[in-house]
Amino acid sequence: MASVGQDDSRDDITPLQIEVMRGVVELIRDEGWAPGTRLSVPDLARRFGVSRSPVTVALGLLTERGIVAAMPAPHRGLQVAVDLRDMDVADIAPSSPLDDLYRRIMRDRASGDLPQDVSEAELIPRYDISRGVVRKLLMRFAAEGLAQRQPGHGWRFADSLDSMDGLRDSYEFRITVECAALRSPRFRINTGQLDSIRRMHRRILDGALQPTGEEWFRVNASFHEGLAAMSGNRFYRDAIHQQNALRRMQEAASFEELSADRIRESCEEHLAVLDAVEAGNMDWAEALLRQHLKQAAEY
């Protein structure tokens, strides 16, 4: 049984290790990894863009909680120990200070309180943090396609989707790419991932989850990126991931304007597309997805 709610305030646990620990839990839950699924430190390090050290520490912390366990002999390594499908990440791993600050900067940029061009020297006093933390945060934004280092000095955040032209162009691009992904000759249904995406939507529709902006973004992104990943074409997947990253910055400031009814409608539209995909009716799935994206563009 998982031992949750443990104290993570120990001095020897870094914000990065907490962040990776949360990421591992979210990955296990969102992708529906069953107990017994083997966990690879090198694969997880590549997934999160970090060295193996914080992944090893994060898995150690999850082992203490009973979320991860050693594989039975004669096998070596670690495996998922419990079913996380209906478990809240916050019950297992707290939000790291670095993660909180990342979301704060994202909200400030989305609302226009933070300019598009910034320097490390400007951010240090603004957020009362060290230069090392500033660089880690900016590198995280850069890894997600949300910022880039300027020649000479300074950083520039990616163009946001806060204008009508930006939103129009984004949805036009997404309709083209996401519908093409469904038509890929290498499209293969990942049943486990499909079930995981469906469960997340059902939790909202059944009232088991009243999503925060962060949770709703995760559910929404898992649907669009999940289908793109099933195309078997990494360029489709990466393109939709980058679009979601841009949306994440804007939605950090606009989630409160989204009605509960619209969230339910979106969940139902997503599930209808998944049903069509699972039935092998890709023409109908594409038509539903196209209509869903056109309707979303109007909100």
Side-chain angles (χ1 to χ4, degrees):
M1 180 70 178
S3 176
V4 299
Q6 296 190 21
D7 181 20
D8 290 294
S9 60
R10 292 174 7 206
D11 291 339
D12 59 333
I13 301 177
T14 69
L16 177 60
Q17 291 162 355
I18 295 174
E19 184 181 346
V20 172
M21 179 170 62
R22 284 180 60 86
V24 171
V25 173
E26 290 166 352
L27 187 64
I28 294 171
R29 183 195 65 181
D30 293 351
E31 297 201 359
W33 291 357
T37 302
R38 187 177 183 277
L39 299 171
S40 165
V41 171
D43 288 349
L44 290 171
R46 282 192 294 270
R47 184 103 179 213
F48 296 115
V50 298
S51 68
R52 297 184 185 187
S53 177
V55 173
T56 300
V57 173
L59 292 177
L61 294 170
L62 291 175
T63 300
E64 293 175 5
R65 286 154 178 73
I67 304 300
V68 169
M71 297 191 71
H75 304 289
R76 302 176 64 182
L78 297 172
Q79 64 180 357
V80 178
V82 295
D83 189 338
L84 297 183
R85 286 177 297 181
D86 297 318
M87 194 171 288
D88 288 334
V89 175
D91 291 337
I92 303 169
S95 178
S96 76
L98 203 64
D99 217 34
D100 293 338
L101 188 54
Y102 169 82
R103 288 193 290 269
R104 180 183 168 192
I105 292 175
M106 186 176 289
R107 287 194 299 269
D108 288 350
R109 174 63 200 127
S111 64
D113 290 338
L114 190 65
Q116 185 172 18
D117 295 312
V118 296
S119 69
E120 294 177 8
E122 292 169 336
L123 296 177
I124 290 170
R126 181 185 180 108
Y127 296 103
D128 191 23
I129 50 180
S130 69
R131 184 175 296 275
V133 171
V134 165
R135 286 182 177 169
K136 286 181 181 178
L137 289 165
L138 289 171
M139 290 301 293
R140 178 174 173 181
F141 279 111
E144 296 182 352
L146 296 178
Q148 62 179 4
R149 191 188 296 272
Q150 294 286 79
H153 73 285
W155 292 76
R156 165 165 286 215
F157 285 104
D159 293 333
S160 61
L161 303 179
D162 56 356
S163 69
M164 291 304 297
D165 286 346
L167 285 170
R168 181 200 63 216
D169 291 348
S170 174
Y171 275 105
E172 181 179 313
F173 177 79
R174 289 179 60 199
I175 288 171
T176 300
V177 173
E178 294 192 41
C179 289
L182 291 181
R183 296 194 302 270
S184 170
R186 297 198 305 277
F187 190 96
R188 297 291 183 273
I189 294 174
N190 182 326
T191 303
Q193 189 173 12
L194 210 65
D195 289 345
S196 175
I197 295 170
R198 186 177 277 113
R199 280 194 301 270
M200 286 190 281
H201 286 74
R202 284 294 177 198
R203 290 183 70 204
I204 295 175
L205 291 173
D206 295 343
L209 173 65
Q210 301 295 323
T212 61
E214 188 73 14
E215 279 285 351
W216 171 238
F217 177 85
R218 187 183 308 284
V219 172
N220 197 21
S222 73
F223 167 78
H224 292 283
E225 290 186 33
L227 287 180
M230 290 180 210
S231 71
N233 187 319
R234 68 182 184 278
F235 294 109
Y236 287 148
R237 179 199 64 203
D238 292 348
I240 299 308
H241 178 76
Q242 201 268 345
Q243 285 296 306
N244 277 333
L246 291 174
R247 286 177 49 245
R248 184 173 191 167
M249 183 170 286
Q250 186 57 30
E251 288 184 11
S254 62
F255 174 75
E256 299 301 327
E257 301 172 10
L258 197 61
S259 70
D261 285 344
R262 179 52 197 156
I263 291 176
R264 290 185 63 85
E265 288 173 4
S266 187
C267 284
E268 289 166 353
E269 291 165 9
H270 287 177
L271 290 174
V273 174
L274 296 181
D275 289 343
V277 168
E278 196 163 36
N281 193 342
M282 302 307 287
D283 288 341
W284 182 232
E286 181 185 345
L288 290 172
L289 181 58
R290 186 182 300 275
Q291 179 59 31
H292 166 69
L293 289 170
K294 285 183 177 179
Q295 185 170 345
E298 298 173 1
Y299 280 85

